[in-house]
Amino acid sequence: MNSLVRPVSLLRCPPSLRPILAARLYATETGLGTSNASSRPRRKAVTAFNDDGRVPWGELSGKEKAARATQQTFNFSFIIVGAVLTGGVAYFMYTEVFSLDSKTSHFNRAFDQVRKDSRCTELLGNSKKITAYGEPTWNKWRRARPIASTIRKDQYGTEHLIMHFNVEGPMAKGVVNMHMTKKPSESEFVYKYLALDVKGHQRIYLENADASPESSAKSKTKFFGVSWR
């Protein structure tokens, strides 16, 4: 009924006022029934997979709060697992590679001692061209061959590090055998023997504790964490 009255009353107005009244009438009709709640844009429901933290906590429903809590718990757990794995890798690298008491460090020092010994270079050749490598594998690159080594503890609590690796020079090749011990009262490994075996030649002892049983601890010198006899 009102829709019929308003056009008639509009026609009764002077022609110059009709556009203004028409605009006001349109604005009034479009504004009826609107509210602040309906003018707000509708947002997507927050889930554990699409939550980016933009929606304030107070505007979340109970289900959405549970989804956000689940997501944050998962993220925190992921960070903890990553930190534990990183720490494990760092510990392994230190104990196996960088520590002065690691197998890699003992291997490097033994190999350097072989290259510096004149008796060894007489059989193997130029010290700068001598290479060391581990056990043969399918990998053709010698540096990738693993070094054979074991650490065991005897009934007295003494640790035994036994290692052997191959060396090769311009003139010959051989095998280096090493045995080190560390008693419970000691903090460092000590050479029991370090020897080079070349086929057709007598064994060369670079270190041999059994050859001088009367030697005292005072005759030892320490260098890079190893007691050298």
Side-chain angles (χ1 to χ4, degrees):
M1 184 69 179
N2 291 336
S3 61
L4 295 176
V5 174
R6 287 173 182 172
V8 174
S9 60
L10 186 62
L11 293 175
R12 294 177 180 177
C13 296
S16 60
L17 298 179
R18 290 177 184 176
I20 299 175
L21 293 175
R24 294 186 61 183
L25 179 61
Y26 176 78
T28 302
E29 290 180 349
T30 55
L32 291 176
T34 60
S35 62
N36 293 334
S38 61
S39 63
R40 292 180 181 177
R42 296 186 61 183
R43 62 175 176 82
K44 293 178 61 177
V46 175
T47 66
F49 301 100
N50 67 358
D51 185 18
D52 55 6
R54 294 182 182 180
V55 181
W57 178 263
E59 297 182 8
L60 298 176
S61 65
K63 186 176 181 180
E64 290 174 330
K65 289 180 179 179
R68 176 169 292 182
T70 301
Q71 184 197 62
Q72 292 178 349
T73 302
F74 175 79
N75 292 340
F76 181 74
S77 302
F78 188 78
I79 293 173
I80 293 298
V81 172
V84 171
L85 291 177
T86 301
V89 171
Y91 176 79
F92 175 80
M93 292 296 294
Y94 175 76
T95 56
E96 294 295 328
V97 179
F98 299 110
S99 174
L100 294 177
D101 213 18
S102 66
K103 296 179 182 179
T104 303
S105 297
H106 290 308
F107 162 75
N108 290 333
R109 288 192 288 266
F111 179 48
D112 287 339
Q113 195 167 352
V114 169
R115 290 191 300 178
K116 293 177 181 178
D117 192 285
S118 59
R119 296 170 298 170
C120 298
T121 55
E122 287 179 1
L123 298 180
L124 301 176
N126 190 343
S127 61
K128 295 182 179 180
K129 297 182 179 180
I130 298 176
T131 58
Y133 51 93
E135 296 301 303
T137 63
W138 60 269
N139 194 326
K140 65 179 180 179
W141 301 105
R142 290 177 178 174
R143 292 184 179 181
R145 298 180 181 181
I147 303 299
S149 63
T150 58
I151 294 181
R152 60 178 180 84
K153 185 177 293 187
D154 61 21
Q155 58 182 342
Y156 303 105
T158 300
E159 293 184 63
H160 296 262
L161 170 61
I162 301 174
M163 178 186 299
H164 73 269
F165 56 90
N166 301 283
V167 290
E168 183 175 348
M171 298 171 56
K173 61 176 65 175
V175 178
V176 177
N177 292 278
M178 182 179 71
H179 185 179
M180 304 184 75
T181 61
K182 183 170 68 173
K183 297 180 179 179
S185 59
E186 299 175 340
S187 59
E188 300 168 345
F189 277 97
V190 177
Y191 275 114
K192 184 174 179 62
Y193 64 79
L194 175 63
L196 169 66
D197 293 316
V198 177
K199 188 176 182 179
H201 298 272
Q202 188 177 2
R203 167 174 279 195
I204 298 176
Y205 281 96
L206 291 84
E207 301 285 344
N208 190 2
D210 296 334
S212 54
E214 71 280 2
S215 61
S216 62
K218 295 182 180 180
S219 64
K220 304 176 185 177
T221 58
K222 295 182 179 180
F223 188 65
F224 285 120
V226 176
S227 298
W228 305 82
R229 296 181 184 273

